[in-house]
Amino acid sequence: MTLLIGDTAPDFEAETTDGPIRFHPWAGDDWVVFFSHPADFTPVCTTELGYTARLKDEFARRHAKALVISVDSLEHHRDWSADIEETQGTAVNFPMIADPQRKVATLYNMIHPSADPKLTVRAVYIIDPQKKIRASIVYPPSVGRNFNEVLRLLDSLQLTDGYKVATPVNWTNGDDVIIAPSLQDPAEIARLFPKGYRALKPYLRVTPQPDKV
């Protein structure tokens, strides 16, 4: 199946390095960064999981948590975790799903047969507390992901959920944002954006990030 932005993330049961989970109850009221890696004991994946482990506090600040999957076994996951801790300086501190039957990976369209029918690609799903898919990113197995971009994406989603704004190109938390074009009432604009704004064009109005002092 193809999962699109706005779809409900499918629920599933799986065995993980932290024990069995059912996805929706495990996610609870948090945001989830659910991502796949092609295989255990591979170099790029080793760096990715180590870096993600170092981001645990950053995820927690955003009420988010990580979940990773590959088609490897629990035994392989546990053995490989020691390599990650040794080479990356951080133990894996989030669940690793074992999916040797490819059930969850297939459910989430993480296997792209034209790339490799045996392995998952580097897919990322950002899932909100209502279990809606809010964003997805897909990389080929040869390209490591930028998890700072995943954090930036989380920041943008959470900001734009709370305010009638959009984030411009290369935005990072604290930068100016764009007032939503749908917002036209001057009184409402003044109320929502007391710091004022710059109108570069009628449809392009730039304002300081509203949740910053």
Side-chain angles (χ1 to χ4, degrees), residues 1 34 36 69-71 97 99 101-112 119-121 125:
M1 64 183 295
F34 182 31
S36 54
I69 183 173
S70 75
V71 298
I97 292 175
D99 190 33
Q101 302 303 316
R102 300 170 174 80
K103 292 180 180 179
V104 178
T106 300
L107 185 64
Y108 274 79
N109 197 34
M110 291 170 163
I111 296 176
H112 294 194
L119 303 175
T120 51
V121 293
Y125 289 99

Side-chain angles (χ1 to χ4, degrees), residues 6 8 23 32 42 52 69 79 101 110 116 144 171 181 186 192 207:
T8 297
F23 177 59
V32 177
T42 55
T52 303
I69 183 173
D79 290 345
Q101 302 303 316
M110 291 170 163
D116 191 324
W171 174 89
L192 294 176
T207 189

